[in-house]
Amino acid sequence: MKKKINRMLVFIATLAIGCTMILLTFVYYDLFRKQVLEDLRAYAMLMRESEATEQVEVLGGELDDCGIRLTLIGADGSVLFDNEADQTRMENHSERPEIAEALQSGEGYAVRKSETLAASTFYYAVRLDNQGVLRVSKDAGSIYSVFFSALPILLGVLVILVILCMILAHFLTGNLIRPIEHLAQNLDDGNESSDYEELTPFISMIQEQHRDIMKNAQMRQEFTANVSHELKTPLTSISGYAELIETGMASDEDVTRFAHGIHNSANRLLTLINDIIRLSQLDASEQQASFETLDLYDMAETCVDMLSMNAEKHRVSISLMGEPCQIQGNRQMIEELLYNLCDNAIRYNNPGGSVTVEVWPKKQETNGTEEKILVVRDTGIGIPKEHQERIFERFYRVDKSRSKSTGGTGLGLAIVKHIIAIHNADMKLVSEEGKGTSISVIFSN
Ligand code: ADP
């Protein structure tokens, strides 16, 4: 970027200097041209006023040495005298522009290119009292010769100016880029602002993305560490039980107990692995989940039926209230969402407690759209305020031993959160420690 800006600045400067020089040549040549004509006019006037035309032959010889040509023309256009050519051989001059003009208005001038491009001939003519015309002319450089003779100086100046521009461009680019480089090195600093106000929204966006990337990287790292830790526990116990059986020292009764332990740990491992796989599938399918029309009430009913045995085991009653209501969703995901919320409501409940699942549509008064609401309410142990923000994080549990003893993996609500995001739904958690929890999911499609 630095190099590119540098090159652009030098290019623009060179172009500007080059154009200025060419323009100046034209301006200078115009002045030069005016000056030559002015001089010729002065000579002609002087000769006319001082009546030097009487001795034109004498003067002509002297002026010849100075490169000035004198021509005396009669009122009919015939050439009476010329200090550079034989007047008898010269054609009638009444048609020449400067002569015609002088005959008509008293004075006339013309500039004609000579055969070579290098010179131009300047003519100035004045009418005399005897109605004849005196013409003074001189060869001078044309615009090309003026330009080419000045070219070495022009090129020298151009080179010096370009070098100067390169040095200036180098410093200027450095100054321009410095705040951006500084920013790139201090992306972690949240309060970093720019010297360029136009860059502020861009910087905020980059900083936000940078923070997200860092957060994601940290989450991924924590997740990997947690997964390893969670897998290690059941595997260690499986390995321990197996080792005890292997030594042959365990009684038959112990072997049965150890086998039960191995079975439990293996099941735990399986559940854990299934949840991990499910989370990574949800991560990947965020954009491509296929949706269909589903009846939320019907699906909640199926879930309640499926979990009623489990609820009975925990001595918790489970019931469904509400009315049919249709949503656009992914069937498997909505099943998982219902299962995880209801399963938690049963597992974190007290004996004799209850779980109520409610489904109903709700018309929005403000914009006339219809929302579909699912609420899973329990009378269980509740979630302390300080944990409520974090229970949707992967592997976050309020009471680790209770979660594990009831078969929890710490991933259920992380899966729920993902599913809610995929369905563009909203969620509300209301919980009071010791009284119960209610989780509402609001679908707007
Ligand atoms: P787990 O497999 O441990 O249940 P979840 O992700 O489903 O993991 O839930 C995370 C934590 O949130 C649980 O360990 C528990 O402490 C708390 N939690 C979830 N649902 C409820 C609920 N209905 N009542 C009380 N606590 C709950």
Side-chain angles (χ1 to χ4, degrees):
M1 181 177 175
K2 219 173 178 171
K3 268 191 190 156
K4 213 171 173 183
I5 296 180
N6 227 326
R7 257 182 305 193
M8 274 312 271
L9 283 177
V10 173
F11 172 72
I12 292 170
T14 315
L15 200 74
I17 296 169
C19 288
T20 312
M21 282 180 162
I22 293 172
L23 221 90
L24 274 179
T25 312
F26 278 102
V27 172
Y28 168 74
Y29 184 73
D30 193 51
L31 284 175
F32 167 79
R33 186 173 173 273
K34 275 187 188 142
Q35 191 56 55
V36 173
L37 285 171
E38 237 358 84
D39 288 350
L40 290 178
R41 181 172 185 266
Y43 293 147
M45 290 299 180
L46 204 69
M47 287 177 75
R48 186 178 72 176
E49 298 311 320
S50 61
E51 288 168 5
T53 43
E54 311 294 315
Q55 300 112 38
V56 87
E57 281 91 355
V58 186
L59 263 174
E62 282 168 23
L63 285 174
D64 200 12
D65 300 336
C66 311
I68 291 181
R69 181 178 172 190
L70 271 184
T71 317
L72 203 58
I73 297 130
D76 59 349
S78 59
V79 180
L80 305 175
F81 170 77
D82 192 295
N83 64 342
E84 279 187 12
D86 179 3
Q87 63 266 25
T88 54
R89 288 162 182 253
M90 289 170 79
E91 61 185 26
N92 190 294
H93 269 37
S94 57
E95 296 292 304
R96 301 280 164 101
E98 70 281 7
I99 307 290
E101 207 183 330
L103 281 171
Q104 203 184 18
S105 60
E107 290 176 35
Y109 73 88
V111 180
R112 286 196 281 277
K113 286 211 174 70
S114 60
E115 278 130 45
T116 63
L117 279 179
S120 291
T121 311
F122 291 72
Y123 299 92
Y124 208 95
V126 286
R127 195 173 58 204
L128 300 171
D129 294 340
N130 62 8
Q131 297 308 306
V133 173
L134 171 71
R135 187 180 73 175
V136 189
S137 60
K138 182 179 169 47
D139 277 353
S142 71
I143 182 140
Y144 304 103
S145 70
V146 169
F147 181 73
F148 284 112
S149 61
L151 199 61
I153 301 173
L154 288 180
L155 282 178
V157 174
L158 186 80
V159 169
I160 295 171
L161 286 180
V162 168
I163 292 172
L164 253 169
C165 283
M166 280 165 100
I167 298 169
L168 278 177
H170 176 77
F171 284 111
L172 203 74
T173 321
N175 273 347
L176 268 173
I177 301 291
R178 195 164 308 117
I180 300 173
E181 282 177 341
H182 176 76
L183 197 86
Q185 282 157 9
N186 297 283
L187 260 185
D188 283 330
D189 185 352
N191 302 318
E192 195 58 42
S193 63
S194 169
D195 294 358
Y196 307 120
E197 135 194 12
E198 295 83 354
L199 278 182
T200 310
F202 178 63
I203 291 163
S204 314
M205 199 179 80
I206 292 190
Q207 278 180 337
E208 205 178 301
Q209 283 179 354
H210 179 72
R211 269 195 296 274
D212 281 354
I213 291 170
M214 297 307 279
K215 207 169 123 193
N216 273 345
Q218 196 193 347
M219 264 170 59
R220 219 168 291 139
Q221 198 189 5
E222 278 173 14
F223 182 64
T224 317
N226 279 329
V227 167
S228 318
H229 178 76
E230 295 287 334
L231 291 176
K232 217 166 130 187
T233 321
L235 272 174
T236 313
S237 84
I238 289 174
S239 166
Y241 286 133
E243 198 181 345
L244 285 173
I245 296 170
E246 197 181 25
T247 57
M249 284 170 8
S251 64
D252 283 356
E253 201 181 302
D254 282 342
V255 169
T256 316
R257 201 157 54 81
F258 294 164
H260 182 68
I262 290 174
H263 189 195
N264 276 346
S265 295
N267 275 344
R268 219 185 125 51
L269 269 180
L270 269 179
T271 323
L272 199 65
I273 288 166
N274 275 338
D275 276 358
I276 293 169
I277 291 174
R278 191 60 194 135
L279 257 182
S280 74
Q281 278 172 344
L282 287 173
D283 272 339
S285 74
E286 212 146 291
Q287 262 103 44
Q288 60 216 6
S290 59
F291 281 21
E292 58 185 301
T293 306
L294 305 168
D295 191 315
L296 196 57
Y297 186 86
D298 280 354
M299 291 182 73
E301 195 169 30
T302 314
C303 179
V304 167
D305 287 348
M306 187 170 68
L307 283 170
S308 58
M309 287 263 284
N310 192 23
E312 230 170 81
K313 220 165 74 188
H314 285 83
R315 295 208 281 127
V316 170
S317 67
I318 182 163
S319 59
L320 172 68
M321 284 161 53
E323 51 190 274
C325 95
Q326 308 218 306
I327 60 161
Q328 288 301 313
N330 179 281
R331 181 173 290 279
Q332 190 193 352
M333 290 184 196
I334 299 297
E335 274 170 4
E336 283 168 328
L337 174 117
L338 282 162
Y339 179 89
N340 281 325
L341 291 180
C342 295
D343 186 49
N344 279 355
I346 295 169
R347 286 194 295 120
Y348 300 106
N349 218 314
N350 299 311
S354 68
V355 174
T356 320
V357 181
E358 294 166 25
V359 177
W360 78 89
K362 185 180 169 197
K363 203 150 196 110
Q364 280 287 87
E365 268 158 30
T366 46
N367 54 11
T369 53
E370 197 180 61
E371 288 181 337
K372 287 91 182 183
I373 317 239
L374 162 76
V375 184
V376 179
R377 203 189 306 278
D378 67 62
T379 56
I381 60 172
I383 304 160
K385 272 255 161 325
E386 65 272 23
H387 294 284
Q388 289 182 7
E389 278 256 300
R390 303 201 56 193
I391 54 166
F392 293 90
E393 288 173 20
R394 298 168 183 201
F395 293 117
Y396 191 86
R397 292 128 155 163
V398 178
D399 179 350
K400 205 162 187 165
S401 61
R402 178 157 185 156
S403 159
K404 281 193 175 172
S405 67
T406 53
T409 58
L411 293 175
L413 286 185
I415 293 176
V416 166
K417 187 179 163 191
H418 239 306
I419 295 174
I420 288 176
I422 291 173
H423 285 79
N424 272 330
D426 282 323
M427 186 196 51
K428 216 167 95 192
L429 169 86
V430 181
S431 183
E432 201 177 326
E433 201 175 353
K435 289 211 168 153
T437 303
S438 137
I439 296 181
S440 314
V441 183
I442 302 121
F443 295 92
S444 43
N445 60 11

